[in-house]
Amino acid sequence: MDINEYLKKYERIFEIRISEYSTKIAEKWGYLPYMIERYNELFGNGLFDFLRSCEVPLPRSIRCNDLKIDCEKLVNRLDEKGFKLEKIYWLKHGYKVISKPKSPTLGATIEYLLGFYHIQGISSMIPPYLLEPKQGELILDLAAAPGSKTTQLSQLMRNEGIVIAVEKNPKRIRSLISNINRLGCKNVIVVLDDATGLKLGTSVDKILLDAPCSGEGIIMFDRSRKTKTPITKLRDFSSLQLKLLKNAYNLLKDDGLLVYSTCSIAPEENELVVNYAIEELGMEVVKVNWFPHENGIEEYFNIKFSPSVKNCSRMYPHIHGTEGFFICLLKK
Amino acid sequence: MPFEEIDKEKIYEIINDISSKLNCNFDLTIFNNKIFLKFSKYIMIFKNENEILNKIDKEKLISCGIIFAILTKRDGVLPFISISDILINSCKNKLILPEKLAEKLTYGKKIILKEKLNNGYYIVLTKKGDFIGIVKVRREKEIIPILDIGWYLRRGG
């Protein structure tokens, strides 16, 4: 089934009836009404916990770059400058910044400029670990800028093998190249291309697809996300994500692994997309359990997805103290 | 972006040029199995992986590996900040400064030293051994930043 037909089959997901209750709450909290209607469906009694959590900035977090420094040394060096770090026990290189000095800022220390760490959201550090990149593999990172996950893949591969980072926006390439050089990632090839039509003369071992999305999981960092995405634009995101996933599937070796992730909690951008990979492309969801999460959603507004979407993972600010995030490991 | 592979002879010229500027003695074996590609003014160093590079549309290739050197109008060829580990181990023109003073260089500010130095190019390190950048000493006391780690921020990293 092609993507347009697939979206037509699930068109009902984009036809949301908005109650008076949701309209009132939306007005009070500054959201588009259709978003509240969906959050009510997703969270029920937890709706206000979620809305409140989106009003509070999350603590910053960093990934220690052990290509350049021993992580204990980094903790001590930042401590001397007034940054108190707390290890995130389930993330090998992840630390929460629990207090910081007035100056310098986290993004302007000598240690940052030397590439000893990268500022990265907690949940956004998970996808590269899920791929378990090995030295010698060929890995593709689609929609790569600004390079947080590209450079993490390179770090986990100890600069062996190759990461091909694909980005279609020329303006965002600058930050990608800057981060690659700052963090000492010597095995990355950068390609300026639209990943929906990317062609390589070879297939790859693994793919990371952190898809462009509505950003409904990062409202605490960017309040404009409360009103930025009308339902028609959400459908456009779904369509783009499906196209990216389909091309990623074509570029992947048989038995290869693909991580699909977004910084969105929208089922339209997540389970709906993964459901296509399962039902139309024949991919399998690989269950992972080593980080805190909720299961993927099998049913949404009476629309049923493949039961295996429950093996995907969701993270929420009011439950896990992270940005809202969706992650799914798929096998071809 | 159009790029060209640089042959070994040309790369040795570039390495010699850098060596004479910064008084370096490079262990050339570290460049074995590497290729050098010139993208605009940047020369990049990458593992010798022609097989995969040949499969990528050349027009869409933007960078490979890290930046090894930069071609400048004023100073000619200079080593790039991303090969600081190689420079620290290979070059003798080193200037060691307290961190606070060295930090000024990352904002593009020049520094005036009390003591005299020979004019020329130096790499700047802090007392902890952190690489800050490459500077030019003028009039024996003026330290002019040429390439510094603040570049990463200025490039949006």
Side-chain angles (χ1 to χ4, degrees):
Chain A
M1 190 184 290
D2 92 350
I3 286 166
N4 286 332
E5 284 173 48
Y6 177 77
L7 279 173
K8 270 184 194 161
K9 181 180 167 189
Y10 286 93
E11 198 63 53
R12 214 153 45 85
I13 208 169
F14 299 102
E15 292 163 359
I16 294 165
R17 281 190 209 150
I18 303 160
S19 66
E20 207 175 307
Y21 172 74
S22 293
T23 307
K24 274 185 189 166
I25 295 170
E27 200 177 323
K28 186 176 172 191
W29 291 79
Y31 285 79
L32 295 175
Y34 92 91
M35 293 169 78
I36 299 293
E37 193 66 44
R38 289 154 64 248
Y39 299 159
N40 204 21
E41 169 77 7
L42 286 174
F43 302 122
N45 291 337
L47 169 65
F48 291 101
D49 289 340
F50 172 73
L51 293 178
R52 273 191 292 271
S53 71
C54 291
E55 300 299 309
V56 186
L58 288 168
R60 305 298 292 272
S61 49
I62 63 166
R63 165 171 53 90
C64 163
N65 180 21
D66 62 0
L67 284 177
K68 288 211 158 189
I69 192 170
D70 173 84
C71 292
E72 270 182 37
K73 277 188 191 159
L74 173 66
V75 172
N76 292 334
R77 284 187 61 148
L78 288 179
D79 186 79
E80 283 168 19
K81 295 194 165 163
F83 293 95
K84 303 287 174 205
L85 303 183
E86 182 183 284
K87 181 83 185 70
I88 302 163
Y89 71 92
W90 46 272
L91 280 176
K92 188 176 176 192
H93 305 95
Y95 294 82
K96 235 187 248 183
V97 182
I98 51 174
S99 69
K100 56 189 179 185
K102 278 187 182 167
S103 138
T105 61
L106 196 55
T109 64
I110 291 274
E111 287 76 8
Y112 178 81
L113 296 177
L114 289 166
F116 292 169
Y117 65 90
H118 186 63
I119 303 168
Q120 193 170 346
I122 292 173
S123 40
S124 107
M125 288 184 225
I126 297 170
Y129 290 116
L130 283 192
L131 278 183
E132 294 182 13
K134 308 250 177 348
Q135 299 181 15
E137 286 180 333
L138 177 61
I139 300 188
L140 194 55
D141 182 3
L142 300 172
S148 300
K149 297 176 190 74
T150 300
T151 54
Q152 191 180 349
L153 287 168
S154 174
Q155 177 184 349
L156 296 175
M157 295 164 89
R158 310 304 303 168
N159 265 330
E160 297 295 332
I162 293 181
V163 181
I164 302 177
V166 183
E167 174 56 47
K168 82 164 185 180
N169 185 341
K171 285 181 189 162
R172 301 191 75 204
I173 288 274
R174 284 168 64 96
S175 59
L176 175 60
I177 291 178
S178 171
N179 282 323
I180 288 167
N181 280 277
R182 181 175 62 84
L183 294 157
C185 298
K186 299 172 182 171
N187 63 336
V188 182
I189 295 172
V190 178
V191 174
L192 177 67
D193 204 352
D194 180 350
T196 60
L198 175 75
K199 285 187 174 66
L200 291 173
T202 184
S203 49
V204 302
D205 298 300
K206 291 169 182 174
I207 297 181
L208 196 153
L209 172 54
D210 186 50
C213 68
S214 66
E216 272 188 88
I218 51 170
I219 291 168
M220 67 292 286
F221 297 127
D222 178 4
R223 299 289 159 89
S224 74
R225 310 263 177 182
K226 288 180 173 185
T227 54
K228 210 175 183 174
T229 313
I231 189 89
T232 48
K233 207 170 168 193
L234 190 67
R235 193 184 186 283
D236 293 343
F237 275 121
S238 304
S239 174
L240 172 64
Q241 289 148 354
L242 286 162
K243 285 175 192 161
L244 286 166
L245 183 70
K246 189 174 183 183
N247 200 37
Y249 173 84
N250 292 334
L251 294 163
L252 189 62
K253 276 182 185 165
D254 287 344
D255 295 321
L257 292 173
L258 182 150
V259 167
Y260 177 80
S261 62
T262 68
C263 58
S264 170
I265 56 164
E268 298 86 343
E269 300 183 271
N270 296 315
E271 282 85 352
L272 179 67
V273 178
V274 168
N275 186 65
Y276 179 81
I278 300 164
E279 290 193 343
E280 303 299 327
L281 303 175
M283 298 185 88
E284 280 172 41
V285 179
V286 181
K287 173 104 179 130
V288 276
N289 259 329
W290 54 262
F291 57 92
H293 67 275
E294 301 283 297
N295 289 341
I297 291 164
E298 286 179 72
E299 191 173 341
Y300 176 65
F301 286 119
N302 296 321
I303 294 167
K304 286 186 179 163
F305 300 119
S306 162
S308 52
V309 297
K310 68 172 180 295
N311 292 329
C312 302
S313 307
R314 295 183 143 258
M315 299 180 83
Y316 298 116
H318 61 303
I319 299 173
H320 308 105
T322 65
E323 57 270 53
F325 210 77
F326 176 88
I327 316 165
C328 201
L329 180 62
L330 293 155
K331 187 174 179 185
K332 184 170 176 178
Chain B
M1 182 188 279
F3 68 93
E4 56 177 295
E5 187 167 345
I6 301 181
D7 61 37
K8 276 208 168 146
E9 205 174 307
K10 178 73 184 161
I11 255 315
Y12 285 136
E13 265 178 43
I14 288 170
I15 290 169
N16 281 338
D17 196 344
I18 292 170
S19 300
S20 59
K21 274 186 176 122
L22 285 159
N23 193 11
C24 313
N25 187 9
F26 293 109
D27 167 11
L28 295 177
T29 60
I30 60 176
F31 303 122
N32 286 350
N33 299 316
K34 300 285 189 296
I35 53 170
F36 293 85
L37 302 169
K38 182 171 172 283
F39 291 81
S40 180
K41 61 183 177 182
Y42 298 107
I43 294 164
M44 310 207 71
I45 179 170
F46 189 59
K47 55 177 79 181
N48 195 349
E49 293 279 3
N50 272 324
E51 196 185 329
I52 185 70
L53 284 176
N54 286 336
K55 288 177 176 163
I56 293 172
D57 183 345
K58 301 284 178 289
E59 291 298 310
K60 293 174 178 174
L61 196 62
I62 297 292
S63 84
C64 284
I66 55 171
I67 305 170
F68 175 77
I70 181 169
L71 306 172
T72 69
K73 280 183 187 160
R74 192 182 292 175
D75 300 286
V77 66
L78 289 170
F80 203 67
I81 47 178
S82 34
I83 59 156
S84 58
D85 49 347
I86 299 175
L87 298 176
I88 290 169
N89 289 328
S90 314
C91 303
K92 294 192 186 81
N93 282 12
K94 287 178 183 159
L95 185 56
I96 296 172
L97 297 175
E99 184 170 316
K100 285 280 170 203
L101 196 57
E103 255 180 55
K104 284 189 174 180
L105 296 170
T106 66
Y107 296 103
K109 291 179 184 168
K110 76 174 180 185
I111 297 172
I112 308 290
L113 289 182
K114 284 177 189 162
E115 66 270 33
K116 285 185 178 179
L117 276 173
N118 290 333
N119 289 343
Y121 296 90
Y122 291 78
I123 61 169
V124 174
L125 305 174
T126 65
K127 287 183 175 168
K128 280 182 186 158
D130 295 334
F131 176 88
I132 298 299
I134 297 158
V135 296
K136 189 150 77 174
V137 174
R138 279 194 322 203
R139 298 186 191 103
E140 297 178 324
K141 285 186 171 186
E142 274 183 38
I143 311 291
I144 312 292
I146 296 183
L147 278 172
D148 63 84
I149 54 174
W151 180 90
Y152 298 121
L153 278 189
R154 296 191 289 273
R155 293 285 294 195

